[in-house]
Amino acid sequence: MPSDDSFASRPPAGLSRRQLMAWSALAAAAAPLGLVGGAGPAVASESPDATYQRIFMEALGADPDLRRYAVAGREFLYRPRQLLVARPDVQRVMSRLRSYGHSVAEGVGFGGVARLRFAAETDIPSVVTKLRDPQQWPGQEAPLVQPHHALLGFGNIMGNPGGPPRVAGALPAPDPARAGEGAGVTVGICDTGIWRQAGAQHPQWLGGSYLAEVDDEDAVYVGADVLALQGGHGTFVAGVVRQAAPGVRFDPEAALDATGVGDEEMLVAALGRLGPQVSVINLSLGYFTQDDQPPLPLVNALAGLPGRAVVASAGNAGTSRRAWPAALDRVLAVGAVTAGPTGPGPAPYSNHGPWVDACAVGERSSTYVRGRLELPGQPTRYFDGFAAWAGTSFATGHVAGRLAALMTSAGLGAEAARAALIAGPRWHPDYGVLVA
């Protein structure tokens, strides 16, 4: 493996504008946190899993474009100084905010909603609570408002199965007898994007199965060959989908940065870039919302994608709290189980509840990237293209692939296959149908 180089002071050559911005943000967050060069404080007797979780939380705290609402049991992340409003409610909300003394202006909206920007730092959750209060609107309906929520790849906190990817051996070659499973179906994977070398490094599993586009590339590294916290997540998910349906094609789109952080605008944009051939959409990501309300931009965006089956992670917080977009009615929500000596059992990290439609094993090995993961006080992990990881992210990729395989084997469209898959008996009331 490469030697222990110091952090590169300049970004790699040939990055797009989006990648350059992501690289800069990752480098700024990583350097003071000891994510490069093995530097940074360690906590005595801390496990690698605990270190990974702690460093991720510190990275969130260091991000100037993130705020965290952390009241017990109601945690969520949001973008500062932004309020999203249903378009019919814009004028009365702006008028009311100005009466409260706020200076606001309408910015560029997305996902069928308007975006209001505050001139100064504002307690957005408190503003939302006040605007949602029916007593503020006698004789009329309260407006539809929400923060601009941030979201995470479900390999981390508010989606953290507890630890980083682990080094794993190479996958065996695909079984030629299964080459027809998923053939003719394209799965859209909105995630961290795809590693630039994914097709070349994994010719049997990923080569020729997607169209490589520069803006879909995963930034992956914070410098030299040092991996970002969730760099390679999209490449791992793509390999899981292909293992479940070796004949499927996929369309990778970047909705998260390589730390595993995105927002509703980034996800809506990624959904909008999916090619017309995509019939199954894999979302190994998600988020909590204020008051656990359905997110307006995602409701609108998914309503504009008729005829496509959407499969999303239920989340890894070990709670029955609804995570979005998985909990939306038209989305197939996937939880995780873990293999045991007497059969599968609920994975302790998996979100659960009657809103979860299906489940699958969350601990998987898959295609990954090359590089090293540096965590303070922990042995460096060197990856050579394959990894093992756990989370509802990877249960979701498996279910999306099996859904594509069902489409080809039964000659069904995406929505009909989704209905057929979840029509079976529920393995568990809070985990849905078990997908082997």
Side-chain angles (χ1 to χ4, degrees):
M1 293 301 294
S3 62
D4 185 7
D5 298 325
S6 61
F7 179 68
S9 59
R10 298 184 213 173
L15 297 186
S16 67
R17 182 176 180 274
R18 180 187 68 78
Q19 290 174 305
L20 183 61
M21 292 174 65
W23 185 93
S24 300
L26 288 167
L33 296 173
L35 297 185
V36 295
V43 176
S45 303
E46 190 174 60
S47 70
D49 290 1
T51 301
Y52 186 67
Q53 224 172 37
R54 175 175 59 83
I55 293 301
F56 184 75
M57 291 304 295
E58 291 176 3
L60 295 184
D63 189 333
D65 292 324
L66 277 180
R67 300 291 182 271
R68 182 182 175 210
Y69 181 85
V71 173
R74 288 292 174 262
E75 180 183 17
F76 61 87
L77 299 170
Y78 63 97
R79 297 300 192 192
R81 297 169 53 185
Q82 297 185 39
L83 180 72
L84 303 185
V85 185
R87 292 197 182 279
D89 296 324
V90 171
Q91 293 307 314
R92 63 182 179 132
V93 167
M94 289 185 70
S95 177
R96 185 59 58 90
L97 289 173
R98 287 167 179 161
S99 76
Y100 295 156
H102 296 292
S103 176
V104 295
E106 185 171 357
V108 177
F110 64 92
V113 299
R115 172 167 31 198
L116 303 186
R117 293 188 180 272
F118 289 73
E121 183 72 29
T122 304
D123 184 348
I124 295 296
S126 293
V127 170
V128 170
T129 295
K130 194 170 185 179
L131 290 172
R132 285 178 173 176
D133 183 0
Q135 295 184 16
Q136 296 286 317
W137 308 92
Q140 55 183 314
E141 293 288 331
L144 296 177
V145 298
Q146 66 162 75
H148 181 190
H149 298 104
L151 54 97
L152 303 172
F154 276 152
N156 272 321
I157 190 74
M158 288 170 53
N160 197 325
R166 305 186 312 277
V167 175
L171 296 174
D175 182 354
R178 298 183 58 211
E181 295 181 24
V185 178
T186 300
V187 177
I189 301 176
C190 298
D191 210 283
T192 59
I194 194 79
W195 183 35
R196 177 183 295 188
Q197 301 177 50
Q201 294 296 323
H202 300 292
Q204 293 178 305
W205 281 109
L206 302 180
S209 59
Y210 68 100
L211 176 63
E213 297 180 308
V214 172
D215 279 348
D216 297 335
E217 290 176 9
D218 188 337
V220 180
Y221 306 105
V222 293
D225 63 337
V226 179
L227 298 174
L229 284 173
Q230 221 172 72
H233 187 267
T235 302
F236 192 103
V237 170
V240 173
V241 172
R242 289 274 293 173
Q243 289 176 70
V248 79
R249 291 183 59 83
F250 64 94
D251 180 6
E253 298 293 342
L256 304 168
D257 66 25
T259 301
V261 179
D263 58 35
E264 291 170 308
E265 183 176 20
M266 292 167 66
L267 179 53
V268 167
L271 290 168
R273 294 194 301 269
L274 291 172
Q277 75 279 11
V278 170
S279 54
V280 177
I281 301 173
N282 185 96
L283 303 177
S284 290
L285 48 76
Y287 56 108
F288 296 131
T289 62
Q290 183 166 353
D291 301 325
D292 296 333
Q293 294 298 302
L296 299 174
L298 265 293
V299 170
N300 293 337
L302 295 180
L305 298 171
R308 298 179 178 184
V310 183
V311 187
S313 301
N316 306 327
T319 177
S320 60
R321 185 182 178 192
R322 293 172 184 263
W324 309 94
L328 292 173
D329 287 342
R330 67 156 297 188
V331 176
L332 197 162
V334 180
V337 299
T338 186
T342 60
Y349 56 78
S350 179
N351 288 1
H352 51 271
W355 54 277
V356 176
D357 300 300
C359 59
V361 172
E363 297 84 16
R364 296 187 177 272
S365 295
S366 189
T367 52
Y368 195 52
V369 300
R370 287 182 171 173
R372 54 194 167 106
L373 183 62
E374 301 263 353
L375 297 174
Q378 303 294 343
T380 298
R381 300 185 182 203
Y382 294 96
F383 293 91
D384 193 21
F386 296 91
W389 216 340
T392 57
S393 277
F394 317 124
T396 299
H398 177 76
V399 171
R402 294 312 299 160
L403 184 64
L406 179 60
M407 290 172 63
T408 56
S409 64
L412 298 174
E415 291 183 329
R418 174 192 182 278
L421 187 146
I422 63 175
R426 292 179 74 89
W427 172 79
H428 185 287
D430 287 340
Y431 290 81
V433 176
L434 178 62
V435 180

